[in-house]
Amino acid sequence: MDFKLPKRFENSNKASYGRVINIAGSDYMPGAAYLSSVSALKIGCGYCFLCSTERVIDAVAAQTQNIVFVPLRDLELNLSQADVVELGCGLSQDKQAVEIFNRTILSLAKDVPLVIDADGLNILSKHQEIFLSKGFNSLVFTPHPKEASRLLDCSLDDILNNFEASAVEISKKYNSVTVLKSHRTVVVAPDGCKYINTTGNNSMAKAGSGDVLTGMISGLVAQGMDIFEAASLGVYLHGLSGDFAKEKLTEYSVMAEDLISFIPNAIKYLQTEIKH
């Protein structure tokens, strides 16, 4: 696949590169909110708004001053400003999380790109009627195999033994671009377009790696990329960041936040490849 990075312009400002609204985190999983927000900025979007609980906001604010924080009471107001919405990283599946999920689905315009990961997918699998009735037309799902099995109501072995076919089935059922994660992640669009990734390594098998990927994809979509191209490029750069991190830190010692640190290396590598 021939990758192209989003264009940057001299005469531009932060609004030129899009607004990500990230609905993520829970009181005991603030790290997911941090990782999925910072990675969106690191890949080039102009704004990232984190909508979460007060405890999560306080925890993330102590780590970075680059994110705009949104109390949950102001969720609907900020959704109207979004160029893309991230939903689900570290959200949990408790009663409050389900309420947040449903509020988002009911309030969000169906033509706004929506990237759903982790607990967002788990909640969706139990509340499909509300979701499917909305008719979203710009969706990206980023399941690992177990989450995929819940989306298709089948066994984990069914997913593992029919990996590409499972990604295709999810895309058709939900009209989504599906990023089915593994050591060879598969990206499938509803129209059948497919990309199989070759970057990445076992150092990335750490908690939080998927949150970084979700943020990267959302950040690329915010910059105006087609959602299939953004998902494919995000997967490629995510894996490439892991390859650079492994080279520097060994396959044992790479943490999810290290992937964010190596996103610039991955971008520089791709820029060189594009020039040649």
Side-chain angles (χ1 to χ4, degrees):
M1 186 169 179
D2 293 328
F3 291 118
K4 294 181 180 179
L5 290 161
K7 290 183 179 180
R8 309 289 291 190
F9 304 96
E10 290 301 319
N11 184 17
S12 61
N13 58 66
K14 53 187 177 287
S16 305
Y17 304 111
R19 295 175 172 86
V20 173
I21 305 293
N22 186 19
I23 304 160
S26 53
D27 286 353
Y28 298 101
M29 290 186 282
Y34 170 84
L35 294 167
S36 55
S37 297
V38 173
S39 54
L41 291 167
K42 202 72 169 183
I43 203 73
C45 78
Y47 289 96
C48 185
F49 298 81
L50 173 60
C51 186
S52 195
T53 66
E54 290 185 13
R55 184 169 176 176
V56 170
I57 289 173
D58 287 345
V60 176
Q63 299 179 76
T64 180
Q65 291 77 48
N66 295 291
I67 298 167
V68 181
F69 298 104
V70 178
L72 285 169
R73 64 177 179 272
D74 296 331
L75 170 61
E76 286 83 357
L77 175 65
N78 282 273
L79 286 175
S80 65
Q81 304 175 45
D83 293 299
V84 58
V85 172
E86 283 185 77
L87 176 60
C89 293
L91 195 63
S92 85
Q93 299 178 59
D94 63 15
K95 184 178 179 180
Q96 183 184 29
V98 173
E99 179 188 343
I100 293 167
F101 180 89
N102 289 337
R103 282 174 61 194
T104 303
I105 298 307
L106 293 172
S107 302
L108 186 63
K110 66 180 183 179
D111 59 340
V112 175
L114 175 59
V115 183
I116 308 181
D117 184 37
D119 285 324
L121 296 173
N122 292 326
I123 294 171
L124 188 159
S125 68
K126 300 174 184 176
H127 299 82
Q128 296 190 27
E129 298 81 6
I130 294 175
F131 183 84
L132 292 173
S133 66
K134 189 63 181 279
F136 289 105
N137 53 30
S138 189
L139 289 170
V140 181
F141 289 179
T142 59
H144 58 53
K146 187 62 178 177
E147 291 160 351
S149 72
R150 295 177 185 127
L151 289 171
L152 294 178
D153 193 22
C154 65
S155 70
L156 178 59
D157 284 343
D158 287 337
I159 301 295
L160 296 176
N161 294 330
N162 303 279
F163 203 76
E164 289 184 34
S166 296
V168 170
E169 188 175 351
I170 292 170
S171 289
K172 289 182 177 178
K173 180 176 180 178
Y174 296 97
N175 192 34
S176 67
V177 170
T178 300
V179 179
L180 186 50
K181 296 179 287 193
S182 74
H183 71 290
R184 287 290 178 265
T185 293
V186 177
V187 184
V188 178
D191 64 3
C193 289
K194 186 184 300 181
Y195 167 69
I196 300 176
N197 193 51
T198 57
T199 61
N201 60 81
N202 61 36
S203 75
M204 302 169 71
K206 294 277 179 72
S209 292
D211 301 318
V212 174
L213 174 60
T214 302
M216 292 175 70
I217 293 171
S218 299
L220 291 169
V221 174
Q223 294 173 76
M225 288 191 72
D226 167 82
I227 59 170
F228 174 75
E229 293 178 0
S232 300
L233 177 58
V235 168
Y236 172 80
L237 291 173
H238 180 255
L240 196 56
S241 299
D243 290 338
F244 282 114
K246 175 188 172 184
E247 183 179 337
K248 181 74 173 180
L249 302 172
T250 81
E251 63 266 42
Y252 295 93
S253 300
V254 175
M255 306 291 282
E257 61 187 349
D258 296 320
L259 299 177
I260 298 173
S261 298
F262 282 94
I263 290 173
N265 300 68
I267 292 173
K268 286 181 180 180
Y269 177 87
L270 181 56
Q271 287 175 323
T272 301
E273 290 295 300
I274 291 172
K275 288 178 181 178
H276 290 91

